[in-house]
Amino acid sequence: MHLIVLPAEAAGSPAGTPPGKMASTLLPTLLPPVSRAAAFLLRTPPKPFRYHHSLFRSLLASASSPSTSPTPRALVTMACAAIPTRRDLLMLGIETSCDDTAAAVVRGDGEILSQAIASQSDLLVKWGGVAPKMAEEAHALAIDQVVQKALDDANVSESDLSAVAVTIGPGLSLCLRVGVHKARKIAKVFGLPIVGVHHMEAHALVSRLVNKDLDYPFLALLISGGHNLLVLAQNLGEYVQLGTTIDDAIGEAYDKSARWLGLDIQKGGGPALEELALEGDPNSINFTVPMRQHKDCNFSYAGLKTPVRLAIESRNLCTDDIPISSATEEDRQLRANIAASFQRIAVLHLEDRCQRAVEWALKMRPSIKNFVVSGGVASNQYVRTRLNHIAEKNGLQLVSPPPSLCTDNGVMIAWTGIEHFVPGRFEDPPPADEPDDMQVT
Ligand code: KG4
Ligand code: ZN
């Protein structure tokens, strides 16, 4: 426990001030680094907070008994001792923005206590993509179990938590709602603050969990199924967007191409295409790198999908009827060549835009040391290797989370919740009379 000992006189606190009041009135003057989060946790909580509220309660008990009344200095010391350190925080993170129902419990120092995930891969295969209504139902079926598993595996209960973090966007609103309802329900019953998390910010910030030295400012490329973003992260919550996609994201192009190639997309289109591409010749087909004439940092992947479709059709590959597992050797090789050529060009497009973004970012903030690459597509080994070259060429360090933290997960939500909770960016618990099915926007 982090102890701050200050003489009571320094705060000018009159002896005998009720500790609850003292804690709240002294906090701003006595302990400037104490965040709103600590202040929240120091208020009498609706439920005991296992780590620090035991101290808080002993402070209350001793202050109310005249024979054992502590001195003002002791009171301050104890009040300070009761302030949770960052390590004491326990955050539950809930993610339901797309096709995975995920939850995790993460400690304030970044230790991952648990993570649970229910994937909708069967639905993906059946519907050929994410069907919002089906996805919502699947989330609704899975959410209680997934959250319970995360709590059980972390060996904690809801009353041990400091707060609940939940993805509030971007994503499919029907799906987001399932996670938000669950988070609000827990927060209401256990009197916990809520942190609303931006999904793409979480993809970026989870890099700070895996690399504790990663400080602002840094450049981030976020590549997922729905987004392609190049951002200069100046500080927590301060991002300058350098580029975005003008149509499809790279993950969407991987997914569509994988389906057209007749791949087994049970584990996702991107991973399936990456695997097949290893068998192909990346220079066999000359797809055009998108947007080379546009000297900016935006992306376009819609224009790369059509040539892939045409390449399949012109080679008379019956990919609709014959899955890759039943393809002849020659057919398989052709498909692998298309996959490898697609991947080379798709990633060259990333490289072009990242090189320019690095130049722009370094002009704006010459102190940048790190280039973060995250989001589902960043779990691709070819993508990581090529972007590592860009980083090295420009004297930057590539920071990319392990693949399991690149694709959607609850850890990134919990961690981003912690990042915002510490400086006091959270919502108070919902009122006790809030209906469980309240419409949230
Ligand atoms: O971040 P994410 O898990 O979910 C969204 O926020 O969209 O990203 C999912 C995307 C999907 O398009 C998936 O095919 C792609 O990331 N992806 C990959 C790989 N693993 C996942 N793309 C290429 N190679 C991979 N190994
Ligand atoms: Zn994502």
Side-chain angles (χ1 to χ4, degrees), residues 296-328:
D296 58 26
C297 296
N298 288 331
F299 302 87
S300 164
Y301 280 96
L304 188 53
K305 287 190 314 193
T306 315
V308 169
R309 180 89 226 168
L310 291 175
I312 295 167
E313 284 168 7
S314 66
R315 281 161 185 79
N316 294 322
L317 293 166
C318 301
T319 52
D320 289 342
D321 309 324
I322 305 172
I324 189 84
S325 51
S326 316
T328 62

Side-chain angles (χ1 to χ4, degrees), residues 6-172:
L6 288 175
E9 304 78 37
S13 86
T17 309
K21 186 154 179 259
M22 190 187 83
S24 62
T25 51
L26 293 193
L27 275 174
T29 45
L30 234 188
L31 308 162
V34 169
S35 68
R36 197 178 147 226
F40 179 89
L41 294 168
L42 271 176
R43 293 208 304 260
T44 310
K47 286 267 173 177
F49 185 92
R50 184 196 274 173
Y51 295 93
H52 33 270
H53 283 305
S54 52
L55 277 167
F56 186 68
R57 272 184 275 117
S58 67
L59 172 61
L60 285 172
S62 56
S64 60
S65 139
S67 58
T68 56
S69 252
T71 63
R73 181 188 170 104
L75 272 174
V76 172
T77 305
M78 290 167 81
C80 296
I83 293 164
T85 63
R86 182 167 172 148
R87 186 181 179 282
D88 297 324
L89 298 175
L90 271 189
M91 187 70 69
L92 168 67
I94 299 177
E95 156 63 37
T96 60
S97 68
C98 193
D99 55 342
D100 289 321
T101 315
V105 177
V106 177
R107 221 169 48 188
D109 61 358
E111 185 171 335
I112 300 168
L113 299 189
S114 67
Q115 46 179 326
I117 193 156
S119 139
Q120 300 180 7
S121 54
D122 292 347
L123 289 178
L124 276 184
V125 174
K126 184 168 173 197
W127 300 100
V130 183
K133 195 69 196 137
M134 307 295 159
E136 179 202 15
E137 278 171 21
H139 282 304
L141 275 176
I143 189 80
D144 288 344
Q145 269 183 345
V146 167
V147 168
Q148 197 55 53
K149 178 161 173 36
L151 292 169
D152 291 348
D153 290 356
N155 205 15
V156 299
S157 70
E158 290 90 336
S159 55
D160 298 321
L161 298 170
S162 315
V164 184
V166 61
T167 309
I168 54 169
L172 301 167

Side-chain angles (χ1 to χ4, degrees), residues 410-422:
V411 171
M412 68 183 197
I413 306 303
W415 174 252
T416 304
I418 289 165
E419 293 261 36
H420 282 282
F421 184 73
V422 168

Side-chain angles (χ1 to χ4, degrees), residues 97-100 199-200 203 223-227 250-252 254-255 268-271 274 343 375-377 379-381 406-408:
S97 68
C98 193
D99 55 342
D100 289 321
H199 182 87
M200 297 312 286
H203 272 307
I223 36 180
S224 68
H227 294 87
I250 184 171
E252 156 89 8
Y254 264 92
D255 291 339
E274 178 184 14
Q343 177 162 265
V377 184
S379 56
N380 180 300
Q381 205 47 54
C406 281
T407 48
D408 289 353

Side-chain angles (χ1 to χ4, degrees), residues 236-272:
L236 179 66
E238 277 177 42
Y239 309 104
V240 179
Q241 183 176 299
L242 304 178
T244 183
T245 182
I246 60 168
D247 42 53
D248 294 339
I250 184 171
E252 156 89 8
Y254 264 92
D255 291 339
K256 279 259 159 62
S257 302
R259 231 170 324 125
W260 289 336
L261 285 166
L263 308 190
D264 175 5
I265 59 170
Q266 186 79 30
K267 289 193 210 127

